Amino acid sequence: METRYKNRRILKYVSILFSLFVLMNFVSCSNDESCDYDVEDDGFPFACSEGMDVAFLIDYTGSMGGAIDGIKSSVAAIANTIVTESGGDYRLSLSIFDEQPEGNLPAYAAQTDYVSLPAGQKVVNSTFATRDQYLTMMEKFGTNNKTSFSNQLAKLNGALSLGSGVGSPEPGGLLFNELINNSFAGNWRTTNITKLAIIITDAVAGGDDDIANGIDDTYLASLAAKANLDGIQVILVSSLATSNYEISLVDINNGGLKLMNANLNNVGTDIIKLIEDICVNNEK
């Protein structure tokens, strides 16, 4: 089990200052606007038919059981949509985020499907005095890996007990940071393909302190800037009417989409529609 970020707060503020500088060179864009700046080259966004890397980031806290079961029941249709849109050139990853009171282990900590994961796929962040964040990579990017992805997804809220969470904010932003800055799912491909990060949650982002405030807004904006640089489009699926993910991440992400007020217990069809919409938009 890997513990990181011993000096996270210092690094976080340095990252934020750098990213704010980057943000000044970008045009903010919403779902109804287009951006004038380039990502990777003048061809962005790239057609899904050129290939797809799709990362699923799932809130694994106590209130998400119904949503996870809904995704599991639709996994074949979701995966087949990606296979079809990508022309068979796709890679999938699956990761989960959870939070516990400091020193408390999640229910799944001693279970085989968690223990057997490589150490590099388990991050336990304990930088804040009263909270620990558990960030877990269930399935790294793999070529045409819908079978192993589906097998790992099937373990959630099943063989792998559901997590807990403490307060309402959850550490999804920290997990997204791992994916785009620390190759937590493996490296995203650098070729001109569609790269998607799909965040599914019923809470706002709270960083390492379980509190959602302006620091988290700035942190999410820094992640949006990095995603824009890397050509990663964010899809947010949330049961909330609004959230800091929406305002500070998706709304300044180039080509991102969001679904708010989502019925997370029946979310499979919504995820498919959002992926299809991204692919239609990317063809324009």
Side-chain angles (χ1 to χ4, degrees), residues 3-77:
T3 302
R4 298 181 183 175
Y5 313 125
K6 294 299 183 182
N7 298 311
R8 179 177 177 80
R9 287 187 173 276
I10 295 174
L11 293 174
K12 179 174 177 179
Y13 292 120
V14 171
S15 174
I16 288 170
L17 288 172
F18 170 76
S19 299
L20 282 175
F21 172 78
V22 173
L23 273 171
M24 292 173 66
N25 294 283
F26 281 86
V27 179
S28 295
C29 52
S30 68
N31 293 335
D32 298 320
E33 298 173 332
S34 62
C35 291
D36 295 328
Y37 56 82
D38 297 331
V39 179
E40 294 186 341
D41 68 25
D42 291 340
F44 182 86
F46 306 111
C48 292
S49 58
E50 297 298 316
M52 298 177 69
D53 281 356
V54 184
F56 289 81
L57 295 75
I58 300 178
D59 185 336
Y60 203 57
T61 58
S63 58
M64 287 290 292
I68 290 165
D69 289 343
I71 298 168
K72 288 163 63 175
S73 68
S74 304
V75 64

Side-chain angles (χ1 to χ4, degrees), residues 201 203-205 220 236 238 240-248 260:
T201 182
V204 297
L220 290 173
L236 171 66
S238 175
L240 302 178
T242 188
S243 78
N244 52 6
Y245 287 112
E246 175 193 12
I247 297 168
S248 299
M260 310 305 293

